[in-house]
Amino acid sequence: MVAARKPAQRTCDAPGCTVPVRRGILMCRPHWFQLPQPLRQAISQTWRAGQVRAWSANCLEARRFLAENTPSAVADRITGDRS
């Protein structure tokens, strides 16, 4: 009997997020919908078109956006905390 392969477990690409997501999914739902719609569309379009470099650049932009705009990052900017 052949053992069934378990899908590779991965987590959301948002900085610091540990929510498991399925293969082929970039981010958990809450983080995905925190991104501006044009950026979400660009990520999806470049993925479907197989434009790996453009998709990778868009993903990097998404991670930067979330790192700068999550509630903790915004609070740190307001309070000046850089720890």
Side-chain angles (χ1 to χ4, degrees):
M1 178 178 215
V2 176
R5 277 182 65 184
K6 290 173 75 176
Q9 195 67 22
R10 59 177 310 281
T11 58
C12 172
D13 269 13
C17 186
T18 59
V19 173
V21 293
R22 289 181 301 142
R23 183 173 179 232
I25 302 296
L26 183 66
M27 296 179 176
C28 64
R29 189 174 179 85
H31 282 122
W32 179 251
F33 285 104
Q34 284 180 9
L35 298 175
Q37 185 177 9
L39 182 53
R40 293 193 318 258
Q41 289 174 332
I43 291 169
S44 296
Q45 288 171 351
T46 53
W47 174 257
R48 282 192 299 272
Q51 299 169 336
V52 177
R53 287 182 187 217
W55 175 80
S56 184
N58 289 331
C59 291
L60 181 60
E61 183 180 345
R63 286 186 209 97
R64 281 189 193 134
F65 177 87
L66 290 172
E68 294 172 358
N69 294 288
T70 56
S72 62
V74 172
D76 290 348
R77 282 199 308 259
I78 292 170
T79 63
D81 184 13
R82 298 280 180 198
S83 52

